């Protein structure tokens, strides 16, 4: 894919309370959620997955946020730190529970390529927005903008470190372009109903089951 050179950070360290099982390991429509998302990083120069040790694999760097389960901002900071030397100018930032992320990447790349911040200089990033909701974790950001945002939050006396910080605070002040997600490419899998809906839409049965559900139960 032609366009800006980017690295990728995939956030896979959440607790998945509503699923009750490992979200990145959940098999939906024939593949783990994490593997669906990793297809979106195939054009990345380097990929870092932020999550637990059981996700270790040679195709990417695995790291963990500090503290574990510290949230997406702490995960983003850990992912940026773990990227190899010679950073690409852009970073593809993805949550691990967006199985159609690969379809979103061309939209993000097209929006970033040659775009400017409405006459105010270069933009800091692009992200999807679906049904009026900003999807910041399906986005492509300038590395220097993310680094500066992480440093700003880490040094903010009103913020007790990065753990638990909302993503909206990370992107606050950035010059961003919203890409309308009319096809729901940024829809996440957050519940068993979400997983079953996605599986049915792709002609597959849900292949991983909630250990707390009976064999004939519903979500």
């Amino acid at each position: 894919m032609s366009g800006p050179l980017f690295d990728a950070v995939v956030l896979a360290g959440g607790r998945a309370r509503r699923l009750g099982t490992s979200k990145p390991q959940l098999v939906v429509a024939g593949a783990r959620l994490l593997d669906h998302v990793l297809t979106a990083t195939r054009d990345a120069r380097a990929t870092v997955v932020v999550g637990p040790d059981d996700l270790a694999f040679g195709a990417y760097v695995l790291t963990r946020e500090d503290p574990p389960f510290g949230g997406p901002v702490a995960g983003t900071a850990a992912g940026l730190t773990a990227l190899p030397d010679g950073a690409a100018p852009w970073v593809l930032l993805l949550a691990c529970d967006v199985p159609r992320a690969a379809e979103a990447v061309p939209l993000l790349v097209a929006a970033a390529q040659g775009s400017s911040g409405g006459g105010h200089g270069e933009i800091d990033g692009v992200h999807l927005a679906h049904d009026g909701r900003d999807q910041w974790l399906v986005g492509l950001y300038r590395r220097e903008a993310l680094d500066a945002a992480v440093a700003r939050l880490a040094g903010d006396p009103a913020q007790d470190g990065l753990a638990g910080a909302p993503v909206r605070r990370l992107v606050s002040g950035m010059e961003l372009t919203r890409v309308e997600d009319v096809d729901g490419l940024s829809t996440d899998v957050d519940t068993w109903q979400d997983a079953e809906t996605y599986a049915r839409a792709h002609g597959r049965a849900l292949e991983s089951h909630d250990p707390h559900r009976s064999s004939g139960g519903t979500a």
Side-chain angles (χ1 to χ4, degrees), residues 88-184:
W90 292 81
V91 175
L92 178 65
L93 184 61
L94 298 172
C96 77
D97 59 358
V98 184
R100 299 182 68 187
E103 298 175 66
V105 171
L107 300 180
L108 297 172
V109 168
Q113 192 170 17
S115 184
S116 67
H120 299 289
E122 293 183 328
I123 61 168
D124 294 315
V126 299
H127 63 86
L128 294 194
H130 181 59
D131 285 345
R133 180 182 176 187
D134 290 317
Q135 303 288 351
W136 293 304
L137 297 184
V138 185
L140 187 64
Y141 300 90
R142 290 191 185 277
R143 172 66 189 266
E144 61 183 16
L146 281 179
D147 284 338
V150 167
R152 170 177 53 81
L153 285 186
D156 185 352
Q159 176 69 38
D160 186 17
L162 300 176
V167 179
R168 66 177 177 274
R169 292 196 65 190
L170 181 71
V171 301
S172 176
M174 288 188 186
E175 187 71 41
L176 301 177
T177 294
R178 302 171 83 220
V179 178
E180 290 303 322
D181 176 16
V182 296
D183 295 319

Side-chain angles (χ1 to χ4, degrees), residues 12-213:
R15 293 184 185 274
R17 289 186 177 94
R18 283 190 277 180
L19 279 170
T21 190
S22 171
K23 186 179 287 190
Q25 300 279 27
L26 180 68
V27 177
V28 182
R32 299 181 307 164
L33 275 178
L34 178 60
D35 293 326
H36 283 294
V37 175
L38 287 172
T39 64
T41 72
R42 57 181 173 264
D43 291 315
R45 188 209 59 157
T47 297
V48 171
V49 173
V50 184
D53 291 343
D54 63 354
L55 300 180
F57 186 63
Y60 50 76
V61 174
L62 181 69
T63 191
R64 195 70 201 263
E65 69 274 27
D66 183 21
F69 307 114
V73 175
T76 298
L80 293 174
T81 299
L83 284 170
D85 293 338
W90 292 81
V91 175
L92 178 65
L93 184 61
L94 298 172
C96 77
D97 59 358
V98 184
R100 299 182 68 187
E103 298 175 66
V105 171
L107 300 180
L108 297 172
V109 168
Q113 192 170 17
S115 184
S116 67
H120 299 289
E122 293 183 328
I123 61 168
D124 294 315
V126 299
H127 63 86
L128 294 194
H130 181 59
D131 285 345
R133 180 182 176 187
D134 290 317
Q135 303 288 351
W136 293 304
L137 297 184
V138 185
L140 187 64
Y141 300 90
R142 290 191 185 277
R143 172 66 189 266
E144 61 183 16
L146 281 179
D147 284 338
V150 167
R152 170 177 53 81
L153 285 186
D156 185 352
Q159 176 69 38
D160 186 17
L162 300 176
V167 179
R168 66 177 177 274
R169 292 196 65 190
L170 181 71
V171 301
S172 176
M174 288 188 186
E175 187 71 41
L176 301 177
T177 294
R178 302 171 83 220
V179 178
E180 290 303 322
D181 176 16
V182 296
D183 295 319
L185 305 180
S186 59
T187 300
D188 61 3
V189 173
D190 205 34
T191 66
W192 286 98
Q193 183 176 353
D194 295 338
E196 290 170 344
T197 298
Y198 183 81
R200 285 196 303 271
H202 290 77
R204 303 291 290 268
L206 187 62
E207 298 172 46
S208 182
H209 301 284
D210 183 351
H212 302 297
R213 295 165 59 190

